[in-house]
Structures are given as C-alpha cells and as structure tokens.
Amino acid sequence: MRGRAGVGRYLNRQLQVYRLETADDGHGGQTTSLVLKGTVRAKVDQPSPTERMVAAQTQSRHSHDVFLLPRADVRRGDELRGTDGLGNQQVFRVQSVVQPSTPVYSKALVELIQSEGEGHG
C-alpha cells in the first residue's frame, strides 16, 4: 500500500466504528455502552509472518491488520463491525493504531472476536 495518491482504491470494505461511552444513568450511577460513531472505508488483511511472530512472543491478540484513511477516527478499544466477502458478520477489537512516518494511511492492529462455536474467518 504505497504511494500518496492511490490508497483509497484499496479500501474495499465499509466498517462501522463502535466506541465505549459512559453516561449518567439518572440514579447517581453510570452506564457504559458501545455507541456507533460512524463508518470508515477499510481493507482487512492478515498480518505478515513477522507481525504474527512478534504478536505470539508478546502474547498479543493481533489477528488482522485493518488499513484506513489517515484521518479515520479509529482508536484503541474501538470495535469495527462489517461483513466479509462471503457476507459473514465480523467484529474486530482495535488493539492499537499506527501510521507510517508519512501519513498516507493508518493501520489498526485488531483482534477478530468470534462467537462461541464459530469458525475462523
């Protein structure tokens, strides 16, 4: 994914961004819930063999790389939700977000969240 001009053409999926927000519950306490913050264009990839090795060594839960436009509002702890090319629902939890020294894209290191009994995807 090199070059300033064409990163957008690789972003072939739409993912919804959900973020935890805390609000007063009206009874002196607070509730926390996931709130839809918007939709971003993205490309979901498997991490490189080196990234997988580093993740395993550090016991990270990094299972996928999600490439985004550099100004996409995606943060650590967010959930990204969408469907894969086969129409299967996927949910990813963002572990971290990084940018190259020249911000032509952002890369979210994410963990695929699977439901009980679900296969890999």
Side-chain angles (χ1 to χ4, degrees), residues 12-91:
N12 58 1
R13 291 178 62 180
Q14 296 284 324
L15 298 176
Q16 295 176 318
V17 180
Y18 285 84
R19 187 167 297 142
L20 281 175
E21 288 191 358
T22 303
D24 292 333
D25 66 5
H27 303 287
Q30 295 183 324
T31 59
T32 302
S33 58
L34 282 171
V35 175
L36 177 62
K37 301 305 281 185
T39 302
V40 294
R41 292 174 52 206
K43 180 178 188 299
V44 179
D45 278 345
Q46 297 286 326
S48 71
T50 300
E51 289 172 322
R52 289 180 199 209
M53 182 182 69
V54 169
Q57 289 173 346
T58 61
Q59 297 180 343
S60 169
R61 296 175 182 242
H62 174 202
S63 67
H64 290 77
D65 293 332
V66 177
F67 292 90
L68 308 154
L69 292 172
R71 291 191 176 142
D73 185 14
V74 173
R75 305 174 190 175
R76 184 176 194 268
D78 285 352
E79 281 191 6
L80 304 176
R81 299 179 186 180
T83 55
D84 65 12
L86 302 174
N88 300 310
Q89 183 67 27
Q90 291 183 310
V91 178

Side-chain angles (χ1 to χ4, degrees), residues 107-118:
K107 181 167 81 169
L109 284 59
V110 302
E111 173 190 14
L112 177 63
I113 307 299
Q114 294 181 338
S115 300
E116 187 95 12
E118 186 178 357

